[in-house]
Amino acid sequence: MDRSEFLELLSPEGLRLLDSLPPYQTEKDVVRLVSDLRKQGHAPGLVAAVLTQSKLRRKAVAKFGDFASRMLFTEAGLEQATRLAVAARHAGRFRSAGLTRVADLGCGIGGDALAVAAIELDVTAVEADEVTAAIAAYNLAPFPNATVVHGRAEDADLRGVDAVFLDPARRTAGHTQTERLTDPDDYTPSLGFAYELATGRSVGLKLGPGFDRDLIPSNAEAQWISSDGQVVELGLWFGALARSHIRRAALVLRGDEAYELTAESDSEDAETGELGEYVYEPDGSVIRARLIGDLARQLDGRMVADGIAYITTDHAMPTPFAAGFRVLETLPYGERDLRRALRERGVGSLEIKKRGVDVDPAALRRRLALAGDRSATLILTRIAGRHTALLAERL
């Protein structure tokens, strides 16, 4: 969206037209709607702008729920925005630490700032891109305790601020078709700027979940967050925002429920042992936080092999931190024998899990030519140095 299109969208006519549109449906419906709007005399640029927003609002429901219908977005801004449930956790940290005046540097469309403002903390949201800053201003307009500043994070006036949140842009500049940046020095603002800021302030820093662990400072609390089974971010917390005696944390969000595993450091691996009746695959946040050993001990379990993130137990142990499977039997690992065994058992729907083996699950599933009415899970891994195929069912 360029500046002129955005100004058209923000006009009274544009906003009324956007709010009057039916929910975004199929491309065929959109073609018909474009024709209808053009016949009503609306300019082509305005029609394109409101339809783009309608499409983005529908997509944004996954992150913002009902709030999406009252917000504006860019494609890149929505992709990079924090999920509302996660942003609420960020905001809660500031309140728990007694910090009431927050600067959100690199606020994007304002998702995190919105969560901070919603719990009645003062927030100054700073955004370098003009259009994105205007969108943030629109999204934050209902909150008198929120101010949006168009400017660079590095130039922000932090006088009167007692905490800072940074979500550095980790993609190239633009509103659509951006590319991921791999060098933290290329982030906007840079990682170096964020770390320097954290030397004397309470700072929260949002990063990608695959961020290089070797670059995590020893004085930071590192918290990996998964939402409904997907690891969505790594949060680094400094100063009053870092909890005492916690340096590693895995936060699992499932719907409205939250569960957390914490430790002072990476946990030691649990011992390996014989395959039990059950196998557990730790949540991605637990794996990223390197708390697998602590989880294994919590489950009274053991590792199936060194360096492989599967835990095995003799008894079912419900946990929010791992997916559980009951092992039905061990099958031949060779593909031809495996195909025959699955057909004999009538397996027509197969979930394939793998760790420690070089297998493309989608390609393997096609080659297995499954047939039957039974559903199952196939776990491919190494046990005692040997490739192993386990037929299992989810708990």
Side-chain angles (χ1 to χ4, degrees), residues 238-258:
F238 301 84
L241 292 166
R243 294 171 291 181
S244 179
H245 303 298
I246 295 177
R247 288 296 176 265
R248 298 290 180 264
L251 178 64
V252 176
L253 303 178
R254 293 184 179 176
D256 295 329
E257 301 294 327

Side-chain angles (χ1 to χ4, degrees), residues 106-126:
C107 70
I109 62 170
D112 276 291
L114 190 153
V116 172
I119 59 173
E120 301 182 346
L121 304 181
D122 293 335
V123 59
T124 300
V126 180

Side-chain angles (χ1 to χ4, degrees), residues 19 30 61 81 117 134 182 245 270 284 301 368 393:
D19 290 337
V30 171
V61 170
T182 57
H245 303 298
L368 289 174
E393 62 182 6

